[in-house]
Amino acid sequence: MIELYHNGMSTCSQKVRLTLAEKGQDFTSHHFNLRAGDQHHPDYLALNPNGVVPTIIHHGKVIYESAVIDEYLDEVFPDPPLHSADPHQRARMRIWVKQLDEGLHAASATISACTAFRYQFMEGKTEAELKKSLDGYVDPGKRARMTENVLQGVDSSFFRPAIKRIAKMLDGMQASLADGPWLTGDTYSLADVALTPYVTRVSHLQQDWLFNARPRVADWFDRIRARPAYKIALEDWFNPDFLSLMEARGGENRDGVKAVLGSG
C-alpha cells in the first residue's frame, strides 16, 4: 500500500520510517544514494519537485515533507495514536515538530558537515577538483556555506550558531522532560519521533557528552532506543561506513566542539 522513497541515514527519512514502524506498516522501499544524486532524477522530481527525501505514495497519492507525511500517517493509521488526547499536549507536540523546519534541521546538517562529512567530501580530490565540486552548488548561499564548512570545519562561521542551536534543543528537551517520560508529557508522540534522528546524530558524531549535564535527555534516549521501532526504522538502515566516519572524525573534533560551546 505504501511506497517510500528514502535514504538510510537521512534524518528526515528516519522520522518517517519511525512513524511507519510504530504503526506496524510495511512499505515498498526505493532507497536513494544521495551522494550519487538519485534525488535529482527527473522521474523523482516529477513526484517531489524539491528533490529531497522522503516521499511516499499511498493509494496512488503522493505526499512529501517529512512532518506532513508523519501527520498523514498518524491520521490514516490511527492505531496506535502518535499524539495525546489532550489539546495542550498536542500543541506542545506541534511546537517541537515545527522547530525542525525553523533551524534545527539546518543546524544538524551543518554540524554533521563540519565535524565529519567534510572529510568524505574532500577525500581523493585535488584542490581543483574540490573547487569544481563546491562551485557546482547553484544556489550562491548554499555554495558559500558548503565551501566554508568543508574547508574550515568547526572553525567555520556557520558552525558556532549551529552547535549552539543543537545545545538549545537539548536544553529545551531537558526542561520538557520534567513533565513526564516523553516530550509532551505521558504520551509518546510525533514530537519524540521528530527529535529521535537528531539526538541520534549528536550521539553518532561523538558529541553525546552534551547529555551529561542533561540527564533527562539521556534517560529519554535510552527509552527511545529500547523501543522495537528504533531498530526497525533506524538501526537496520544505518550505513556502517557513515557510522565509522562519524565516530572517527567526530571524536577527533570533540575538543574543538567543546571549545566553540565554551567560548560564550
Side-chain angles (χ1 to χ4, degrees), residues 99-115:
Q99 288 183 53
L100 295 176
D101 292 332
E102 295 177 340
L104 269 177
H105 178 76
S108 179
T110 295
I111 67 166
S112 299
C114 289
T115 58

Side-chain angles (χ1 to χ4, degrees), residues 8-175:
M9 298 300 292
S10 153
T11 49
C12 291
S13 296
Q14 289 171 343
K15 286 163 52 181
V16 170
R17 288 198 307 268
L18 195 51
T19 298
L20 287 166
E22 290 286 353
K23 298 289 185 179
Q25 295 297 316
D26 294 327
F27 57 86
T28 298
S29 171
H30 302 281
H31 188 265
F32 278 10
N33 182 338
L34 302 183
R35 294 288 188 271
D38 291 353
Q39 70 276 24
H40 301 307
H41 191 280
D43 289 347
Y44 183 66
L45 292 175
L47 298 176
N48 186 333
N50 295 329
V52 296
V53 291
T55 297
I56 68 166
I57 301 177
H58 183 227
H59 292 315
K61 295 182 173 62
V62 178
I63 303 105
Y64 52 87
E65 293 296 329
S66 58
V68 175
I69 295 172
D70 278 353
E71 284 217 21
Y72 173 84
L73 293 172
D74 198 29
E75 290 180 4
V76 297
F77 302 108
D79 186 29
L82 293 178
H83 62 271
S84 172
D86 177 72
H88 181 249
Q89 289 194 23
R90 289 200 304 276
R92 291 176 64 188
M93 175 189 79
R94 292 188 177 103
I95 288 171
W96 273 113
V97 173
K98 186 170 180 281
Q99 288 183 53
L100 295 176
D101 292 332
E102 295 177 340
L104 269 177
H105 178 76
S108 179
T110 295
I111 67 166
S112 299
C114 289
T115 58
F117 293 120
R118 63 186 292 254
Y119 301 97
Q120 187 182 59
F121 196 93
M122 293 187 293
E123 186 177 13
K125 290 186 177 72
T126 65
E127 186 174 338
E129 289 169 338
L130 180 58
K131 184 179 187 305
K132 183 178 179 181
S133 294
L134 292 167
D135 288 347
Y137 288 95
V138 177
D139 178 77
K142 186 172 185 178
R143 183 167 62 247
R145 183 169 63 252
M146 280 298 297
T147 298
E148 188 170 334
N149 289 345
V150 167
L151 297 180
Q152 298 188 31
V154 297
D155 293 323
S156 165
S157 64
F158 297 99
F159 181 76
R160 184 173 183 272
I163 192 63
K164 288 180 77 68
R165 183 64 188 89
I166 296 299
K168 182 180 177 182
M169 173 193 78
L170 296 173
D171 286 339
M173 293 177 68
Q174 175 73 8

Side-chain angles (χ1 to χ4, degrees), residues 6-11 14 17 31 196-201 203-204 221 224-225 229-244 246:
H6 65 124
N7 170 268
M9 298 300 292
S10 153
T11 49
Q14 289 171 343
R17 288 198 307 268
H31 188 265
T196 291
Y198 297 93
V199 177
T200 297
R201 180 59 59 87
S203 178
H204 282 169
F221 195 37
I224 286 289
R225 288 179 291 180
Y230 187 87
K231 181 180 186 302
I232 296 168
L234 276 80
E235 289 181 355
D236 287 353
W237 292 94
F238 285 160
N239 182 318
D241 291 338
F242 280 35
L243 293 183
S244 296
M246 288 190 284

Side-chain angles (χ1 to χ4, degrees), residues 156-262:
S156 165
S157 64
F158 297 99
F159 181 76
R160 184 173 183 272
I163 192 63
K164 288 180 77 68
R165 183 64 188 89
I166 296 299
K168 182 180 177 182
M169 173 193 78
L170 296 173
D171 286 339
M173 293 177 68
Q174 175 73 8
S176 286
L177 290 165
D179 297 333
W182 306 112
L183 286 175
T184 65
D186 295 330
T187 303
Y188 176 88
S189 75
L190 291 178
D192 302 286
V193 169
L195 271 293
T196 291
Y198 297 93
V199 177
T200 297
R201 180 59 59 87
V202 171
S203 178
H204 282 169
L205 290 169
Q206 305 302 300
Q207 307 307 319
D208 45 3
W209 59 272
L210 287 163
F211 305 159
N212 294 342
R214 302 166 177 93
R216 285 192 287 268
V217 175
D219 290 345
W220 172 89
F221 195 37
D222 286 342
R223 289 191 295 276
I224 286 289
R225 288 179 291 180
R227 296 179 73 87
Y230 187 87
K231 181 180 186 302
I232 296 168
L234 276 80
E235 289 181 355
D236 287 353
W237 292 94
F238 285 160
N239 182 318
D241 291 338
F242 280 35
L243 293 183
S244 296
L245 174 69
M246 288 190 284
E247 180 179 0
R249 298 301 190 175
E252 289 175 9
N253 282 289
R254 190 182 292 117
D255 288 344
V257 175
K258 289 182 177 181
V260 171
L261 281 174

